[in-house]
Structures are given as C-alpha cells and as structure tokens.
Amino acid sequence: LPLGAFDVAAAWYLPDCADKSFEWGPETTKRCEGFVGSVPVYETVIGFYSLPDNKYANAQNFEDFYGARLCRMKAWFVHDLEPHGLIEPNITMVRPENPAECIEAVINGTADVASFEVQSASAAIAQLGIGLDEIKENPFLTTVVSLHYLVHKTNPNGRKYIALLNRGLNEMRQSGEW
C-alpha cells in the first residue's frame, strides 16, 4: 500500500486509533499514523490460554497477567494488549511463527499464556491433538478486535475509497443483508 501497488487491502486488524488514554507501541503507532480504515468488516474474539493448574488460568483482570510470559505470534498485532498494560516490562513476550507453536510453548512451559484468535486456537489445539483438559481458555478475559479495509494515507484517492466502502458496508447493515 505505501508503494501504491494496491489501493485497498482487506482484512487488517485496526485499533481505535483515536484512543489517547495511553501510549500506543511503535507497531500500533505505525498502523495508526500510516493508514485509514473502514468501518469494521468483521469482529473476532481473542482468548487467553494456559495450563489448567497455571496461576493465570483463572485471571479475572488483565493485571493478573503481569509477570507472565505471554505468547503471541511474531507477525500478529498487539494493540489489544497495549491498553491493558500487557506489554514489556509488565509481561515477557514470546513470539513464535504460528498458533501451534504458541500452544506448544504453553504446554512445554516456555510460555505461561498464549493469546490469539479463538478459532485459530481451537484449530491449533486440534492439530496438536491436545485434549481440552490439557489447556484451558480463560473464562473471564477476552479482547475483541475488528478487521477493516485499509488504505495508505498517501493514496490520493484513499479516503474516497474508504468512504465508498463504508457507504456500502453501512447499507448492507441497514438493509439486513449483513
């Protein structure tokens, strides 16, 4: 997008960039400063997974995760963690390549908690053949993130594209087609 090879990208997670109640990290700041997003296209739930007897298994607030080694894949966003202080030095990030490696990190003890999209977690758990008694989704804490169409702010027609997409998405919602 910054090079102008494409005008619009689909299915990017985007935080509420207007929220200034804390300081966004560099990865999130780059996303907020460089791109304009559409209204949400899809929302996903991000869960937190640990061993059932782990002290983080039943955390009831995000501060209960402080001190944990938290696994989130290398290329994944962290903007849902930042507002809750789930950043270094409050936690230690473990950043493998894929969801299965995060689940394995929890099982083998190199991470205390894995956090990512619940459907990906279910698929990774099934792929590894791990029983639901071996790893537990925290029943109290989740985050919800939304996917958007994005344009780069340097695109001269970018805001027009987003306005057009927003109009169509909102029309689908209002008509019931959504």
Side-chain angles (χ1 to χ4, degrees):
L1 292 178
L3 298 175
F6 297 96
D7 288 316
V8 180
W12 278 65
Y13 290 106
L14 190 64
D16 176 4
C17 295
D19 186 351
K20 305 292 185 196
S21 62
F22 59 93
E23 189 173 334
W24 291 110
E27 183 181 314
T28 305
T29 299
K30 182 178 176 182
R31 196 168 286 200
C32 287
E33 290 178 354
F35 299 91
V36 176
S38 69
V39 296
V41 176
Y42 185 74
E43 291 184 329
T44 59
V45 176
I46 306 298
F48 294 84
Y49 300 84
S50 62
L51 298 175
D53 59 349
N54 180 306
K55 73 178 188 175
Y56 302 106
N58 292 306
Q60 296 200 12
N61 62 63
F62 291 105
E63 292 80 19
D64 291 343
F65 288 134
Y66 286 12
R69 294 167 295 163
L70 193 142
C71 190
R72 173 76 58 93
M73 287 74 66
K74 194 178 292 183
W76 276 51
F77 58 89
V78 294
H79 62 75
D80 64 316
L81 304 174
E82 292 169 335
H84 304 292
L86 296 179
I87 56 174
E88 294 189 359
N90 296 335
I91 53 105
T92 300
M93 288 296 289
V94 177
R95 304 293 301 250
E97 297 294 325
N98 61 60
E101 289 174 345
C102 262
I103 296 298
E104 286 176 326
V106 170
I107 295 295
N108 71 27
T110 58
D112 301 306
V113 179
S115 175
F116 51 95
E117 194 266 330
V118 296
Q119 291 172 329
S120 296
S122 293
I125 291 166
Q127 172 190 340
L128 294 169
I130 296 170
L132 295 178
D133 58 330
E134 296 177 70
I135 196 155
K136 177 182 178 182
E137 182 180 358
N138 182 292
F140 303 107
L141 298 172
T142 60
T143 62
V144 177
V145 294
S146 54
L147 290 165
H148 303 258
Y149 291 106
L150 290 186
V151 299
H152 196 265
K153 286 185 177 178
T154 61
N155 184 322
N157 294 312
R159 292 186 190 276
K160 290 178 191 174
Y161 297 142
I162 292 298
L164 185 64
L165 286 163
N166 285 344
R167 202 167 31 253
L169 291 166
N170 288 331
E171 184 179 307
M172 286 175 22
R173 285 185 176 101
Q174 291 168 358
S175 72
E177 292 176 80
W178 192 256

